[in-house]
Amino acid sequence: MTKNEKVKYIDSKRLAYYDNALVWWCPSCRTVCANEEVLNDGLHEKCGNRVEKKNLKQWMLRIPLYAERLLKGIDTLDWPAGIKDMQRNWIGRSTGAEVDFEIAGLNVNLTVFTTRPDTLFGATYMVIAPEHALIDLITTSEYKNSVNNYIKATSLKSDLDRTDLAKDKTGVFTGRYAFNPVNKKQIPIWVADYVLTGYGTGAIMAVPAHDNRDFEFAQKFHLPIVCIQDPDVTDHEQKKRILSGNECWTEDGKYINSADSSTGINLNGQNKEAGIALITKWLESKNLGTSKVNYKIRDWLFSRQRYWGEPFPVIHWEDGEVTVMNDNELPLELPELENYLPGESGESPLSNSEEWLNITDKNGRKGRRETNTMPQWAGSCWYYLRFIDPKNDELIFNREKEKYWMPVDLYIGGAEHAVLHLLYSRFWHKVLFDLGIVSTDEPYQRLFNQGMILAFAYESESGSRVSGDLVEEREGKYFHKDTGTELKQITAKMSKSLKNVVNPDDVTSKYGADSLRLYEMFMGPLDVTKPWDEKGVKGVFGFLGRTFRFMSNPDNIFTGQEDAEILKSLHYTIKKVDGDIENLRFNTGISAMMIFINLATKKGRITSDTALTFTKILSPFAPHAGEELWQILGNTNSLSYEPWPDFNEEYLREDNFNYPVSFNGKMRFNIELPVSLTKDEIIKIVLADERAQKWIGAAKPSNIIVVPNRIVNIVI
RNA sequence: GCCCGGAUGGUGGAAUGGUAGACACGCAGGACUUAAAAUCCUGUGACCAUUACGGUUGUGCGGGUUCAAGUCCCGCUCCGGGUACCA
């Protein structure tokens, strides 16, 4: 091996490599970005502007090497199903086979990836991506012009156009044929941009009878369509259309037209599973193909043209060698700059600092530092590990501490990180695990997505949005201030253009931080998207006020024996809040506290023990009010060090249960009965009740269901 | 197109298959006040009654299972999110 070959080989095995790549470039941010950062409409996740493709030398991380591990690990996580699905889809595992097609007149094979090798008999043509490496070789001289023109036209299209025009397929013939390995038939090779260069081998076999895209293409360019699966339809006309290649059949069916005496293969009559197994075995035995797993996930573009970002400790030398700085030369720090903005050139602002940039080694060899910096994900990929031991200046963290704290028990964050931070950091963590640096295979055991808080916005009859400052409310209805037309209240994301942004500072100055906090928890379930409503803040503000006024008034607090009903309610509240905190159901916990305060207010007084206990359960929700009440109630220390109160089941025990009595499932009246009664006793008492007699009348109950401490249902 | 969620009063939302609408907002009426704000009390799904702690109906739509369905099953509709020539 030459030195260059060696470097190339080693680079091909590295997780990180430096290469020319067609990458996403955001002209507004003047930086490149990762696939994961491009939204589905071609906009940059960070700034919302359109991104374009650019060929640049960049750092890449081989996340696909971990695709299988990242996929398998998902099953072990206690994460929302939606996020798990999104990661699975992004990784995009599909199983199939790579099949070699011999190109006529050339001593070269064209390899395709297919998930359905069993449909080889239906492959009537092939398509390669315009960027395919063999395109020049394959194209015959007669077709050079049209193919070159097509390649040029495609390259001018932005990626967005390429997918936008998805409905109307384009393509040209290369003039070349390949042999279908199952029947040795010659099939034409086409170029079309509906085949993508980055997935599989960048070439496909087309089975137009059973694939919509291929069907559409074959119809447009009059390519043969051979049906090889017996369609399971009752409509005779439809069946005829499918069998004659005039309609696409994408469901499964028993094979037909799938045998060839020269190759000796016969799939006819088999089902899909058997067919795939048979053909794969045959392909492998003839050395024509292998089973293969493919992933959608691509290498992760890991450099940006920003000033703020970790610099790569890498030097590019004048002789072409690229070296990594020694450990004792680290950390590499960013230089002070006059101008921090990226230039037009596509190079990072670090290239402006001559002093920092240029370097000479002890042999006088000149070098240049890497000017790209790492993306923000670099920090978020391991911050949770550093948090374990942030002041350690010897090691990333102390191993014992890492063992104690990891994995993260509960991670609360937004769903927008599904295939960004949450995928990236899992990848880093697995690499660190393989290196023996961390002790767990996964970083975040339980993930919880909090819902987005929306705000009210206003919409006119025609559906156009009206800015919040142009709206006035009259008698519960909304009107346009200028035109006076009635508007519809809707909920929408907070945005500057809709002028519906709620500033937490304003809420805090008006109602206090406790109210803000409490309302956010009271609005509804944590994981649900819901609108901010200032009226709701008033509600919890009122609750805090009532609580504070009642508890801080010495006339309401006494020492002695607590009222039984209060005691029961207090212990019920402790139990409820306790469980609700554990399950992140803050809204119902707060509701329980409101019920307690309503009762206490009604009764007029509580013991100081009760007051102190209630203050403890209130304080995680309203820490300011909690702390202040704690001191008003006579303490000098801080409430934050108090242990969480226990509830006592004794106080929760009921002697009676108020049975709902139903007739045919319809609740008619309640009857309070001791919990100690047997079913028969209950039935006896209920039937004797005159209200029951009213509903039964002359009829005779055919069945009576008694569920202890729950319900009585009389079936007539 | 495909994959996930979701749909309950005027509003946000409660409800281990067992009393639908807890709690809160809003609204209505009342108390306090010269008045307002604040606070407190009462009522509040809809409909029919109002002689009654009265009846009917009701959890997006259509079916089903069950003594009993907002909850489970089947088939839809609409809304939100993700993803898409991935072979």
Side-chain angles (χ1 to χ4, degrees):
Chain A
M1 261 192 203
T2 65
K3 191 180 170 189
N4 265 349
E5 282 172 342
K6 254 188 210 162
V7 168
K8 217 171 170 183
Y9 178 79
I10 292 169
D11 272 353
S12 75
K13 301 292 170 197
R14 286 187 209 281
L15 279 181
Y17 67 100
Y18 184 62
D19 199 12
N20 247 345
L22 202 57
V23 296
W24 291 110
W25 166 263
C26 175
S28 154
C29 297
R30 290 177 179 171
T31 182
V32 297
C33 59
N35 294 326
E36 288 81 0
E37 290 170 285
V38 180
L39 304 177
N40 58 3
D41 45 5
L43 304 181
H44 189 196
E45 175 258 345
K46 206 163 179 67
C47 69
N49 287 294
R50 183 138 296 166
V51 295
E52 41 194 62
K53 280 269 165 147
K54 211 169 177 173
N55 206 321
L56 288 170
K57 209 147 198 201
Q58 295 291 323
W59 285 94
M60 311 286 281
L61 298 187
R62 284 197 174 88
I63 191 168
L65 291 179
Y66 275 72
E68 196 60 40
R69 297 261 306 280
L70 287 167
L71 191 64
K72 286 236 170 73
I74 292 172
D75 299 334
T76 69
L77 299 174
D78 180 14
W79 285 20
I83 301 283
K84 290 171 135 186
D85 280 335
M86 280 164 72
Q87 291 210 348
R88 285 192 191 105
N89 289 337
W90 189 262
I91 293 167
R93 183 186 206 268
S94 61
T95 56
E98 281 191 355
V99 183
D100 294 332
F101 285 65
E102 189 191 338
I103 303 173
L106 292 173
N107 196 16
V108 178
N109 285 335
L110 181 58
T111 307
V112 302
F113 172 71
T114 174
T115 53
R116 297 296 302 274
D118 54 314
T119 61
L120 262 163
F121 280 98
T124 52
Y125 66 99
M126 300 181 81
V127 186
I128 59 176
E131 299 88 351
H132 197 277
L134 296 179
I135 197 158
D136 272 337
L137 189 68
I138 289 174
T139 308
T140 60
S141 52
E142 196 184 337
Y143 287 87
K144 274 271 173 335
N145 263 338
S146 65
V147 168
N148 283 342
N149 286 341
Y150 184 74
I151 295 172
K152 202 183 253 171
T154 327
S155 71
L156 288 177
K157 278 190 209 170
S158 71
D159 260 60
L160 197 73
D161 291 338
R162 233 170 120 168
T163 47
D164 254 7
L165 297 173
K167 283 130 213 137
D168 195 19
K169 293 214 169 9
T170 60
V172 290
F173 182 40
T174 60
R176 185 76 64 179
Y177 292 83
F179 294 104
N180 187 334
V182 291
N183 56 17
K184 299 293 174 201
K185 280 191 182 145
Q186 287 208 10
I187 57 175
I189 304 174
W190 284 62
V191 189
D193 65 1
Y194 83 89
V195 172
L196 306 174
T197 182
Y199 184 77
T201 62
I204 62 157
M205 62 177 215
V207 184
H210 307 290
D211 179 287
N212 281 322
R213 293 155 305 173
D214 297 343
F215 180 78
E216 200 186 314
F217 191 83
Q219 282 225 312
K220 181 164 175 185
F221 296 105
H222 310 291
L223 292 157
I225 300 171
V226 176
C227 181
I228 56 142
Q229 280 179 310
D230 194 10
D232 179 22
V233 285
T234 43
D235 182 346
H236 275 287
E237 288 303 310
Q238 194 193 4
K239 189 155 182 160
K240 234 158 101 187
R241 282 198 304 275
I242 296 169
L243 289 171
S244 61
N246 289 305
E247 188 176 317
C248 188
W249 172 254
T250 55
E251 311 279 314
D252 294 330
K254 298 252 159 80
Y255 300 104
I256 52 175
N257 305 323
S258 295
D260 187 88
S261 53
S262 68
T263 55
I265 183 147
N266 185 351
L267 300 181
N268 286 337
Q270 307 272 13
N271 66 16
K272 179 178 163 187
E273 285 69 36
I276 291 177
L278 231 134
I279 195 83
T280 308
K281 208 171 149 197
W282 181 81
L283 286 167
E284 287 184 336
S285 73
K286 301 280 178 196
N287 229 359
L288 290 166
T290 49
S291 63
K292 167 92 182 171
V293 176
N294 241 308
Y295 301 93
K296 276 197 246 180
I297 193 168
R298 312 290 160 82
D299 286 353
W300 172 17
L301 174 68
F302 194 65
S303 45
R304 302 287 184 277
Q305 291 69 51
R306 296 251 181 216
Y307 173 82
W308 293 110
E310 297 84 342
F312 290 85
V314 166
I315 300 160
H316 302 269
W317 299 101
E318 56 187 350
D319 59 6
E321 195 187 1
V322 181
T323 60
V324 177
M325 287 164 65
N326 290 323
D327 283 1
N328 59 16
E329 296 168 321
L330 297 175
L332 173 63
E333 287 180 18
L334 292 167
E336 298 274 339
L337 288 186
E338 292 278 317
N339 183 6
Y340 292 93
L341 290 175
E344 301 282 358
S345 66
E347 251 206 304
S348 134
L350 289 175
S351 59
N352 299 334
S353 173
E354 295 291 324
E355 199 186 328
W356 181 85
L357 188 64
N358 297 311
I359 188 164
T360 308
D361 72 5
K362 56 182 192 285
N363 301 322
R365 179 170 65 151
K366 287 193 173 132
R368 200 169 181 269
R369 288 193 196 280
E370 170 66 54
T371 56
N372 291 310
T373 53
M374 297 185 202
Q376 75 270 34
W377 314 113
S380 62
C381 272
W382 70 290
Y383 78 94
Y384 58 93
L385 290 170
R386 185 60 182 172
F387 277 15
I388 289 168
D389 196 6
K391 296 204 168 118
N392 193 329
D393 51 18
E394 298 291 320
L395 296 167
I396 177 172
F397 44 64
N398 174 292
R399 291 206 148 219
E400 293 309 308
K401 289 185 181 172
E402 186 274 334
K403 279 203 183 100
Y404 174 79
W405 287 107
M406 288 306 289
V408 174
D409 302 289
L410 173 64
Y411 199 5
I412 299 185
E416 67 276 13
H417 287 126
V419 294
L420 292 164
H421 165 62
L422 290 169
L423 188 63
Y424 293 151
S425 54
R426 288 184 61 222
F427 167 49
W428 275 43
H429 197 87
K430 285 183 185 300
V431 173
L432 292 172
F433 177 69
D434 291 349
L435 292 170
I437 294 170
V438 298
S439 59
T440 64
D441 185 41
E442 288 284 344
Y444 317 117
Q445 191 47 50
R446 181 174 174 209
L447 176 72
F448 194 94
N449 292 129
Q450 86 280 27
M452 206 185 335
I453 303 299
L454 306 179
F456 289 124
Y458 301 89
E459 204 176 67
S460 68
E461 190 92 340
S462 64
S464 62
R465 303 289 175 84
V466 178
S467 167
D469 56 345
L470 295 174
V471 178
E472 64 183 349
E473 185 185 348
R474 291 198 302 264
E475 292 159 9
K477 288 180 176 172
Y478 303 91
F479 299 91
H480 196 293
K481 269 186 193 164
D482 298 342
T483 66
T485 51
E486 191 175 341
L487 303 170
K488 205 174 127 196
Q489 190 184 54
I490 57 161
T491 53
K493 275 188 190 176
M494 292 190 191
S495 75
K496 281 181 204 154
S497 62
L498 287 175
K499 291 223 165 57
N500 64 350
V501 175
V502 177
N503 182 349
D505 289 344
D506 297 342
V507 180
T508 304
S509 60
K510 208 163 165 187
Y511 300 104
D514 278 352
S515 295
L516 171 71
R517 201 185 158 87
L518 202 58
Y519 176 58
E520 292 219 287
M521 291 187 277
F522 184 62
M523 292 169 89
L526 190 58
D527 56 343
V528 170
T529 297
K530 46 208 174 298
W532 181 271
D533 185 1
E534 187 173 321
K535 286 171 187 150
V537 189
K538 265 162 104 174
V540 293
F541 177 72
F543 161 67
L544 281 177
R546 276 194 299 281
T547 306
F548 201 86
R549 280 191 298 277
F550 180 81
M551 307 259 282
S552 61
N553 183 350
D555 298 345
N556 299 332
I557 310 296
F558 73 106
T559 37
Q561 187 63 38
E562 185 57 280
D563 174 85
E565 206 179 332
I566 292 270
L567 210 51
K568 184 191 277 180
S569 174
L570 177 70
H571 282 261
Y572 173 78
T573 308
I574 299 170
K575 185 177 178 178
K576 177 87 180 133
V577 173
D578 194 292
D580 283 350
I581 288 177
E582 205 61 47
N583 296 310
L584 307 175
R585 295 159 47 123
F586 305 121
N587 54 330
T588 49
I590 291 167
S591 145
M593 290 190 277
M594 287 172 167
I595 292 169
F596 174 79
I597 286 296
N598 290 346
L599 177 73
T601 313
K602 199 172 238 166
K603 292 267 178 179
R605 61 172 207 166
I606 56 175
T607 65
S608 69
D609 279 351
T610 299
L612 288 168
T613 304
F614 182 78
T615 305
K616 286 184 195 171
I617 59 170
L618 175 68
S619 81
F621 298 85
H624 301 90
E627 199 70 45
E628 193 154 344
L629 278 173
W630 182 249
Q631 305 207 349
I632 288 170
L633 291 167
N635 296 286
T636 50
N637 63 340
S638 168
L639 168 56
S640 50
Y641 298 106
E642 290 298 311
W644 185 254
D646 290 323
F647 59 87
N648 189 341
E649 289 284 354
E650 284 286 302
Y651 299 123
L652 298 176
R653 193 172 299 152
E654 301 274 356
D655 296 329
N656 293 323
F657 180 77
N658 197 19
Y659 277 93
V661 181
S662 308
F663 294 83
N664 293 332
K666 238 179 229 313
M667 206 284 282
R668 294 302 179 181
F669 64 89
N670 287 95
I671 182 166
E672 183 145 333
L673 298 171
V675 295
S676 55
L677 293 185
T678 65
K679 283 190 186 184
D680 288 342
E681 286 168 328
I682 291 170
I683 291 171
K684 217 168 166 187
I685 296 171
V686 167
L687 287 181
D689 194 285
E690 61 180 43
R691 290 171 297 182
Q693 285 309 316
K694 175 185 159 188
W695 287 100
I696 296 167
K700 195 171 182 286
S702 63
N703 194 5
I704 300 175
I705 314 272
V706 177
V707 183
N709 297 325
R710 203 154 287 277
I711 199 166
V712 176
N713 189 23
I714 298 169
V715 186
I716 299 165

